[in-house]
Amino acid sequence: MTGTDQSSFLGRISIRRNQVNAMEGYHEQEIEDLELFQKQLSDRFAELLSAPDDAPTEAFLSISWIRKLLDVFLCCETECKAILLMERDAAQISKPPLDRLIPELLERVVKAMDICNAATNGVELVRHCQKLAEITVSALEQKPFGEGQARRAKKALVSLMSAMHVDDKESSVQKTAERSWSFGRRSGNKDRHHGHYRSLSWQVAKHWSASKQIHAMTMNLAAPRGPEASCLPAPVYILSLIIVFVMWVLIAAIPCQERSGLTTHLPINKHVNWTHSLAGIHDKIGEEWKKKEKKGMAGLLYEMQKMEKLGQSLIEFTDSYQFPGEKEKLDEVAAQVAELAEVCRRMDEGLVPLQMLIREAFHRLVRNRTEFLDVLEQGAPVV
Amino acid sequence: MDGCRSGVPTYEGDLHVVAAAHHIVKALGATKNLSDDLRKILIDLDSHLSMITSNIDSKGGRGLVDVEERLDLAERKIMRWETDPMMIWDSGPKEASDYLEAVDETGKLVDGLRGLSVHENRKQKEILHRAMNIFQTAMSRLEEELIHILVRHGQQFEPKNMYSRSIRKDIVYDESFVSVEDEPTKETSSQNCSNDESGECIVDLVHADVIPDIKSIAKVMFTSNYGPEFCEAFISVQKEALEQYFSFLGTENLSIEDVLKMEWTCLSSKMNKWTWSMKIIVRVYLASEKQLCDQVLGGLGSVSSYCFLEISKATILCLLNFGEAVAMGPHRPEKLLRLLDMYETLADLLRDIDTLFSEEAGSFIQLQFHELLERLGESAIAAFKAFRVAISSNGSLYPFAGGGVHPLNKYVMNYIRMFPEYWNTLNLLLKNQHPGVADQVTKPDYGPDTSLLTSCPMAYHLRSITSCLESNLHKKSQLYKDEALQHIFLMNNIHYLVQKVKGSELRLFFGDEWIRKHNAMFQQHAMNYERATWSSVVSFLKDNNPGSSSMSKSTFKERCKGFSIAFEEVYKTQTSWSIPDPQLREDLRISTSLKVVLAYRTFLGRNLAYTDDKCVKHTVEHVENSLLDLFGGSSRSLRNSRRW
C-alpha cells in the first residue's frame, strides 16, 4: 500500500462527505466507502499471509514482516478513523449503539498502548539476545579456533539461552535473574542478582499480564449483524478487531510480561470476505503458538526461532568440542555461524526501526483516542 | 600485519632494526590522542615485535621454549586465582597489577604466536591453543571482577534535599468546594543539592578510587576484542543499579490503564513525585552515569554513548510513559498546576536531555521527550480551559447561607494565586489561545498605566477567569430573596476577590485600574445594602414636618414602635449574616452607625418630652451596641432579651 493509495482513499471520503451532505444517498456512499476499505484490508492481509515461511528476509513473522504488519495497522487505523470521523456530525457518534461501542473501542485502545510498551520492552530483550549472539559469532569465527574460543562462545550461548527462555511469569523474575549469570560462586556476590532483562524495567506494571489484556480486549468484540453491519458499527468493529489482532501478534512474536495462557482464539467473523486472510494468519500463528507455548520460549519471531535453533545446536557443539576438532564438524559449525551472523545482521538492521514503529503505533493510539474523545465531547448532549 | 609475518630473523643486523622499531612503537603507543584503530595497530605491532625479539635470541626451537616458559609463568599467575575464593581486585593493587601483567603477557604471546603461525609448526599450534585457552579464562575472570567491582563500589546517594519545588503549595482541587484557605499549607521547601537549580550536581555512582581499576579492565578487554563482553557486563550492572535507584525513589512502573483509573489525590502525589524523580534521575543520576561511562570508556569512540543509552533507555521510557498517561487522562481543572509542574520540569530538562543523548542512537529518546513536552503543554491548556468551564458551570440550587465568601470564590482565587509562579510557561502556552468571544469585556481599557504584565496573555486569561467567576457569583446572588443580602454577598465576594489580588503577585497582572474598579464595585454594593436595609428603618425617624417643633405623642409612639420592630427584625436577620473580613465588617458597622444612630439620636433629641415614656424601647447606646452584633454569622434576637 503506497502513500498515494491511501491519500486518494482519504480524499475520496472527504470529497464524498462534502458533496453528499444531504441525507439522501449518504448511506449508499458510506456503504461503498466501507466496501472499498474492506477490499483494501483484504488485499493487505492477503499479502501478509502469502509471506514465505522460510525465506530469510521476508519470512512470516520475521522482523520485516512485523514491520509490514505495523505499517498495515497504521494505514488501517488512519482510514478507519477517516470513515468514522471525517466530516461527520458529532451527534451521530454519540447515538446508540455507538455510545457504547466507541467507549469500548477506547478501552481497547488504552490496553493496546500498554501492550505496545510491553512490546517495546520485549524488543529490548531481543536486542540483548542479538548482542549475545554477536559475541558467539565472533568467538566461533576466530581463527585458529580452539577450546578457549569454544568456552567463550559457550558462555555467551548459555546467557543467550537463558535470556531467550525467559519465563515471563512475574514470580520467577528473581529466580531467572540469578540463573542467567553464572558467577554466584564467590561469597561476596551472593546477594547480587543480575539479569539484564529480568529487572523492573521489563515490567509494564506489577501484576500486569499481556494475555489478560488480550482476553479483556476480546470481550464484547462481536461483528455487527443485520443492518448494523453496513453502517457505523462496522468500522468500529473493524478497527477494534485489527487493534486486538495486531496486539495479539505482537505478544505472540515478541517477549512480553506474562504471556502464559495467551488465547489462540480471537473472535474473527469468518463469514465476511475481508477477514479470510486475517483469519488465515491468525490460525497459522495460533497453531504455532500452541506448539511452542509449553516449551517456554522467546516468542514466535522468526529471527528468534532461528537463533534458538542455531543456539541449541551450537551449544551442543561447544559442550563437546575438543581441540582441534573434526574438519567436517567444523565446516558444519561454520555454516551455522554464518547463518547466526546473518540473523544478527537482520536484527541489527531491523530491531531499532521496529521499536520506533511500535512507538509510533503507540503515539498513534494516543492521538486516536484524543480525537475520539474530542468528538464524543462535542457530540455529548449539553448539560 | 602482513609486514610482520616475515618469520624469524637470522642475523645480527636484524636485531638492531627490530629493537629500534620496537622502541619507536612503544614510544608511539604512549601518545595520548590516538585513534582506536591506530592504537590497536600499535599494540599488535608491539606484540609481534616482542615475539620476534624473543625468537631472535635463540633461533627456531629454543625461541618456542622461551615462549612456553613465559606462558607457563603467566598461566600460573592466572590459574591460581581460579581456585582462590577471593576476588583479585579485593586482594590488593599488587595482585591486580600482577594479574593484568600476566594477562597482557598472555595476550602478547597469543598475538605473536598467531602472527607466526604460518609455519604450521605443530608445537607452536599447541602452545597457541593453550595460550588462547588461558586467555579466555582470564577474560572471563576480568568480566567477573568488573561486575564485582561495580557492585561492591557502587554508591547510592540520598535524593533528599534535592530539587524540591521551593514554596509552591499543594492545593488540591476539591469538587465539593471545601475551603482550602485555612488548611495548613504543606510547604515543600528545601535546598537543592548545589544551591543552584541549573547547576550540575554530579555524584560518583561508583567510588572514584576504583575508576582506574575499571578503566584498566576496560582497556585490556577492549584491546583483546572482548569489548562486547565488557559492555554487556557493565550495562547490566549499571542498568540494574539505576532501576534500584528508581524504585528507591519510590517510583514504580504503572500501566497507562492504571494511571487513567487513578484517583485524583493519588495521581496528584504521583505527578509530584514524577516531577521530582525526573529531575533527580536526569540531572543527577544520568549526568553522573554519563560521566562514569565517559571516564571508563572515553577513548573508545561511540562505545560510551552506546552503553549510556542502553543503561538508561528503559528507565527513561518508563518515566516518559507515565507522563504520556497523565497527559492523555481526563483534563480536569485540578490537574493544571501539576501539569504545569511537569511541563516546566521537562522543558527545563530538555537541554540536559539533548546533551546526554546527543548521539544519533539517542535521538529516539530526544524525540520522545520533545513529543511528551508538546503533549503536556496541550494537556495543560485543556485543563486550563476546563478550569474556566468548571467555574462558569458551577451551579447552586440554594443560596449560600449568611452571604459570606463563597467556597468557589475561595477555591478559584487561591488557585489562580499560584499562576504568577508559572507565568512564563502560561504565557507561552496561552499565547495562541483566545479567552473567547464572551469575554471581550475583559480587554483592558487601561490608560497609560498599561504595563507589560497587565497585557500579557496570562493577564488576559486571568481577567477572563475572574470575570467568569464574577458572573457566576452574580448568578448565585440572585438566589437570595432579600435584596440586601444579595448586596452583602456580592460585597463580600468582590471584596475577597480584590483582597486576594492585592495581596499577591496577581496585582501585577490585574493592574491598578482593575483594582480601583473592583474596589468601587464592592463599595457600591455596601451602599446598596445600606439603602436596601436601612432606608425603610430610618424613615420612621424622619420628621415629616421639618418646620414644626415636635410631633404629637401618638405619632411619636407609633414611630418609636415602628422603628423598634423594624430594627429588631433587621437585628434578628442580619446577625445571622456574615462578613468574614473584620475590617470590612467594621467599616460597614461604622457607616451604618453613622446613619442609623445619628438619625435615632436626632429623633429622640427632638422629642425629648416623650423620651421617658415606656414606648422608647431602645436607648441610643443600646441601638449603637446592637449594631455591633450584626454580621456575626449567628442569628440573635432582641425580642427575648428585653421586655416589651
Side-chain angles (χ1 to χ4, degrees):
Chain A
M1 169 87 180
T2 63
T4 354
D5 283 341
Q6 181 164 45
S7 50
S8 66
F9 179 75
L10 297 180
R12 187 187 142 98
I13 295 181
S14 167
I15 292 164
R16 285 277 181 73
R17 297 265 158 90
N18 281 326
Q19 282 171 346
V20 202
N21 238 343
M23 285 317 278
E24 283 150 78
Y26 191 67
H27 192 61
E28 283 71 27
Q29 296 292 356
E30 283 213 288
I31 292 175
E32 227 175 273
D33 287 345
L34 196 60
E35 270 166 9
L36 179 66
F37 174 55
Q38 291 181 347
K39 169 82 178 61
Q40 286 183 347
L41 275 180
S42 176
D43 291 350
R44 287 179 205 151
F45 281 106
E47 199 185 308
L48 284 169
L49 179 62
S50 68
D53 284 339
D54 202 25
T57 42
E58 305 282 303
F60 190 69
L61 282 174
S62 65
I63 294 170
S64 68
W65 187 88
I66 302 229
R67 282 169 63 185
K68 269 191 210 144
L69 175 73
L70 286 169
D71 281 334
V72 167
F73 168 69
L74 292 175
C75 283
C76 293
E77 194 267 350
T78 308
E79 288 164 9
C80 222
K81 212 169 52 193
I83 291 177
L84 275 166
L85 299 182
M86 199 186 268
E87 311 279 342
R88 190 176 293 283
D89 181 5
Q92 270 182 288
I93 296 289
S94 35
K95 273 196 302 215
L98 289 170
D99 61 338
R100 175 177 60 82
L101 292 175
I102 299 236
E104 276 175 12
L105 168 71
L106 295 185
E107 269 176 45
R108 287 187 191 107
V109 166
V110 169
K111 289 187 162 64
M113 291 177 201
D114 280 326
I115 292 174
C116 283
N117 287 336
T120 306
N121 298 344
V123 174
E124 283 296 297
L125 174 76
V126 177
R127 286 186 63 227
H128 179 52
C129 292
Q130 177 204 333
K131 298 290 165 198
L132 292 168
E134 281 170 359
I135 296 176
T136 308
V137 168
S138 85
L140 294 175
E141 272 178 347
Q142 284 276 341
K143 293 270 155 44
F145 185 76
E147 274 160 33
Q149 295 308 311
R151 273 170 44 221
R152 184 182 181 191
K154 192 189 164 182
K155 188 164 184 277
L157 281 165
V158 168
S159 300
L160 173 63
M161 285 308 173
S162 85
M164 251 187 185
H165 290 160
V166 284
D167 186 351
D168 32 56
K169 286 198 185 84
E170 206 172 295
S171 54
S172 60
V173 165
Q174 301 269 322
K175 216 171 53 201
T176 325
E178 272 176 68
R179 233 189 297 130
S180 69
W181 289 85
S182 44
F183 308 120
R185 67 189 166 105
R186 269 159 245 270
S187 53
N189 296 345
K190 262 193 184 146
D191 51 347
R192 173 164 66 73
H193 48 86
H194 281 290
H196 207 108
Y197 287 91
R198 310 284 55 233
S199 49
L200 292 168
S201 61
W202 154 263
Q203 293 185 0
V204 173
K206 250 191 198 169
H207 309 305
W208 189 85
S209 151
S211 54
K212 277 188 197 147
Q213 296 298 307
I214 287 290
H215 183 73
M217 284 167 88
T218 56
M219 303 255 267
N220 299 327
L221 181 60
R225 285 158 195 280
E228 281 186 1
S230 60
C231 57
L232 283 178
V236 177
Y237 167 74
I238 293 174
L239 186 53
S240 287
L241 181 62
I242 288 174
I243 291 175
V244 176
F245 176 73
V246 170
M247 294 306 135
W248 179 78
V249 176
L250 280 184
I251 294 173
I254 298 168
C256 277
Q257 183 184 353
E258 188 65 68
R259 295 185 295 177
S260 57
L262 180 66
T263 180
T264 49
H265 176 77
L266 296 180
I268 299 171
N269 181 0
K270 291 175 190 171
H271 304 296
V272 194
N273 268 335
W274 75 270
T275 55
H276 280 327
S277 302
L278 186 79
I281 299 172
H282 169 258
D283 291 345
K284 214 166 149 184
I285 295 176
E287 284 304 306
E288 207 50 19
W289 179 263
K290 274 187 227 158
K291 263 192 266 168
K292 301 269 164 62
E293 192 190 14
K294 284 176 196 103
K295 289 198 234 159
M297 40 113 212
L300 299 179
L301 191 68
Y302 176 79
E303 283 81 0
M304 283 289 262
Q305 297 272 317
K306 198 99 197 158
M307 191 177 267
E308 189 178 16
K309 241 197 249 155
L310 291 167
Q312 251 150 12
S313 162
L314 290 172
I315 217 167
E316 275 164 32
F317 163 74
T318 55
D319 264 340
S320 58
Y321 174 77
Q322 270 182 334
F323 182 72
E326 302 154 33
K327 167 103 176 51
E328 207 175 300
K329 183 71 193 164
L330 287 177
D331 287 346
E332 188 192 316
V333 166
Q336 289 179 343
V337 171
E339 229 180 314
L340 186 60
E342 175 59 20
V343 171
C344 287
R345 199 190 53 74
R346 283 205 304 274
M347 285 184 165
D348 197 47
E349 266 173 21
L351 285 178
V352 172
L354 174 64
Q355 203 171 31
M356 287 187 186
L357 204 53
I358 294 174
R359 194 70 186 166
E360 194 188 327
F362 169 83
H363 285 308
R364 186 68 76 78
L365 290 167
V366 172
R367 278 199 292 275
N368 166 328
R369 184 173 167 275
T370 312
E371 280 173 48
F372 273 105
L373 285 177
D374 286 349
V375 172
L376 283 184
E377 207 173 299
Q378 283 169 31
V382 180
V383 187
Chain B
M1 292 287 89
D2 285 336
C4 302
R5 288 201 188 157
S6 52
V8 182
T10 46
Y11 50 92
E12 279 293 300
D14 281 3
L15 190 65
H16 298 293
V17 176
V18 172
H22 203 176
H23 189 73
I24 293 168
V25 168
K26 279 212 183 304
L28 288 174
T31 318
K32 272 183 183 155
N33 301 322
L34 283 182
S35 79
D36 299 327
D37 289 344
L38 193 54
R39 190 179 294 279
K40 179 82 179 58
I41 290 169
L42 287 174
I43 286 165
D44 287 346
L45 209 52
D46 184 28
S47 57
H48 281 294
L49 289 170
S50 51
M51 184 61 64
I52 291 167
T53 318
S54 76
N55 281 311
I56 281 176
D57 299 341
S58 51
K59 328 203 158 157
R62 258 202 63 211
L64 275 179
V65 174
D66 255 13
V67 169
E68 207 170 358
E69 275 169 15
R70 283 165 62 192
L71 185 60
D72 285 344
L73 189 66
E75 182 181 26
R76 271 198 299 281
K77 285 185 182 173
I78 288 168
M79 296 311 284
R80 91 167 171 89
W81 287 104
E82 290 305 296
T83 49
D84 197 318
M86 283 291 284
M87 296 304 282
I88 303 164
W89 265 261
D90 282 355
S91 310
K94 174 83 173 65
E95 278 74 4
S97 68
D98 275 0
Y99 192 83
L100 282 178
E101 231 168 69
V103 175
D104 191 44
E105 175 81 350
T106 316
K108 277 181 185 154
L109 291 172
V110 168
D111 283 346
L113 285 164
R114 216 183 251 165
L116 293 172
S117 65
V118 278
H119 289 283
E120 290 293 331
N121 179 329
R122 188 161 172 270
K123 175 77 178 161
Q124 194 179 303
K125 262 185 157 177
E126 262 176 34
I127 299 177
L128 172 61
H129 177 239
R130 220 182 94 211
M132 280 169 72
N133 224 339
I134 297 166
F135 198 64
Q136 164 60 25
T137 306
M139 286 297 134
S140 183
R141 177 56 183 253
L142 285 177
E143 188 184 330
E144 218 173 299
E145 294 283 335
L146 168 71
I147 292 172
H148 178 75
I149 294 171
L150 287 172
V151 170
R152 172 132 188 244
H153 300 279
Q155 308 193 105
Q156 279 207 338
F157 60 93
E158 275 294 310
K160 275 179 195 154
N161 304 330
M162 277 190 192
Y163 295 124
S164 297
R165 187 124 234 163
S166 45
I167 332 168
R168 284 184 188 170
K169 292 166 190 169
D170 274 314
I171 288 193
V172 178
Y173 186 95
D174 191 327
E175 274 166 308
S176 62
F177 296 115
V178 171
S179 159
V180 283
E181 189 188 28
D182 299 322
E183 280 173 18
T185 42
K186 275 190 279 173
E187 288 192 10
T188 47
S189 75
S190 67
Q191 295 164 330
N192 301 318
C193 60
S194 65
N195 300 322
D196 174 11
E197 275 248 4
S198 61
E200 288 187 3
C201 16
I202 289 182
V203 295
D204 289 326
L205 294 179
V206 173
H207 201 284
D209 291 351
V210 298
I211 299 288
D213 297 341
I214 301 172
K215 272 175 88 162
S216 61
I217 293 176
K219 194 177 152 214
V220 174
M221 288 184 77
F222 273 91
T223 50
S224 320
N225 278 324
Y226 276 70
E229 272 99 334
F230 181 93
C231 290
E232 281 300 304
F234 184 75
I235 290 167
S236 90
V237 178
Q238 290 308 101
K239 188 173 176 215
E240 192 177 294
L242 172 55
E243 276 159 18
Q244 269 172 8
Y245 190 71
F246 190 63
S247 61
F248 174 68
L249 289 179
T251 325
E252 55 182 323
N253 296 9
L254 293 165
S255 70
I256 287 167
E257 208 175 6
D258 289 343
V259 176
L260 290 178
K261 283 179 183 158
M262 201 171 276
E263 274 193 33
W264 166 240
T265 42
C266 182
L267 183 63
S268 166
S269 83
K270 294 251 187 278
M271 286 167 87
N272 254 345
K273 184 148 255 170
W274 183 92
T275 307
W276 178 73
S277 309
M278 193 66 157
K279 277 187 201 163
I280 295 173
I281 294 272
V282 172
R283 207 161 261 165
V284 186
Y285 200 106
L286 291 185
S288 309
E289 188 74 64
K290 179 81 174 169
Q291 182 189 265
L292 177 67
C293 289
D294 286 345
Q295 278 174 342
V296 172
L297 303 162
L300 297 162
S302 62
V303 176
S304 168
S305 58
Y306 161 74
C307 286
F308 175 71
L309 181 63
E310 293 300 309
I311 291 164
S312 50
K313 194 173 183 183
T315 301
I316 288 277
L317 280 178
C318 187
L319 280 166
L320 288 171
N321 282 337
F322 177 81
E324 292 281 355
V326 168
M328 77 176 78
H331 306 305
R332 291 208 304 261
E334 60 268 34
K335 265 167 84 175
L336 180 58
L337 295 185
R338 291 285 95 87
L339 279 170
L340 289 173
D341 281 337
M342 287 174 75
Y343 181 92
E344 286 190 348
T345 302
L346 217 54
D348 208 31
L349 290 175
L350 274 190
R351 254 214 337 258
D352 302 62
I353 290 296
D354 290 349
T355 326
L356 287 173
F357 298 96
S358 55
E359 319 281 323
E360 207 209 318
S363 59
F364 174 67
I365 296 288
Q366 269 191 41
L367 188 73
Q368 299 302 315
F369 262 91
H370 286 268
E371 288 220 16
L372 177 59
L373 183 71
E374 204 176 303
R375 204 95 65 209
L376 284 172
E378 288 163 8
S379 192
I381 292 173
F384 193 92
K385 287 181 182 158
F387 180 50
R388 258 200 15 205
V389 170
I391 294 168
S392 37
S393 64
N394 173 266
S396 324
L397 286 177
Y398 304 102
F400 180 62
V405 179
H406 196 276
L408 173 70
N409 191 1
K410 286 188 185 173
Y411 177 74
V412 170
M413 291 315 289
N414 281 316
Y415 202 74
I416 66 171
R417 214 167 47 162
M418 304 292 164
F419 288 8
E421 275 201 61
Y422 299 88
W423 82 282
N424 273 323
T425 305
L426 277 170
N427 270 343
L428 188 74
L429 293 175
L430 295 170
K431 207 162 49 190
N432 302 316
Q433 303 293 321
H434 298 289
V437 194
D439 304 297
Q440 290 303 315
V441 281
T442 60
K443 277 203 172 169
D445 44 356
Y446 307 135
D449 84 327
T450 310
S451 73
L452 211 59
L453 288 181
T454 52
S455 56
C456 71
M458 186 179 89
Y460 280 99
H461 284 268
L462 278 173
R463 287 189 295 264
S464 146
I465 282 177
T466 51
S467 98
C468 268
L469 177 64
E470 282 168 51
S471 58
N472 189 317
L473 290 169
H474 270 281
K475 241 179 3 205
K476 289 191 191 314
S477 76
Q478 299 304 309
L479 295 168
Y480 296 106
K481 285 190 196 105
D482 192 331
E483 192 202 334
L485 186 51
Q486 290 177 0
H487 291 300
I488 290 291
F489 176 77
L490 288 172
M491 176 196 74
N492 274 330
N493 280 285
I494 292 169
H495 177 261
Y496 181 84
L497 209 87
V498 177
Q499 289 310 108
K500 283 291 170 184
V501 169
K502 270 161 70 179
S504 69
E505 281 181 41
L506 286 175
R507 70 182 181 279
L508 304 171
F509 298 91
F510 280 85
D512 293 341
E513 187 53 40
W514 185 95
I515 294 173
R516 263 198 293 282
K517 215 169 108 190
H518 283 75
N519 268 333
M521 232 183 250
F522 82 76
Q523 278 158 5
Q524 185 60 48
H525 284 295
M527 272 152 64
N528 291 348
Y529 152 78
E530 280 179 17
R531 195 179 316 119
T533 299
W534 295 108
S535 298
S536 59
V537 180
V538 172
S539 69
F540 286 106
L541 311 175
K542 285 236 173 82
D543 200 344
N544 290 346
N545 306 305
S548 65
S549 59
S550 66
M551 58 181 72
S552 70
K553 187 167 183 178
S554 62
T555 316
F556 175 76
K557 256 178 122 170
E558 202 179 296
R559 294 284 188 90
C560 251
K561 194 175 166 192
F563 173 78
S564 294
I565 291 170
F567 183 74
E568 281 162 17
E569 192 51 43
V570 167
Y571 183 87
K572 193 180 155 213
T573 352
Q574 300 198 1
T575 43
S576 73
W577 295 3
S578 132
I579 301 178
D581 185 81
Q583 188 59 51
L584 184 62
R585 192 165 61 223
E586 191 57 29
D587 289 350
L588 195 64
R589 276 176 188 156
I590 289 171
S591 93
T592 307
S593 258
L594 277 176
K595 195 170 183 181
V596 180
V597 176
L598 198 68
Y600 195 45
R601 183 174 285 131
T602 314
F603 172 71
L604 292 182
R606 200 171 284 169
N607 300 294
L608 262 179
Y610 321 124
T611 47
D612 57 335
D613 197 280
K614 274 190 258 171
C615 65
V616 182
K617 191 177 161 194
H618 304 291
T619 63
V620 173
E621 290 71 33
H622 185 241
V623 167
E624 204 170 356
N625 288 332
S626 299
L627 283 174
L628 294 180
D629 293 337
L630 300 185
F631 315 119
S634 57
S635 180
R636 294 175 175 218
S637 173
L638 284 174
R639 220 163 289 212
N640 303 330
S641 61
R642 299 270 285 188
R643 76 203 146 77
W644 176 239

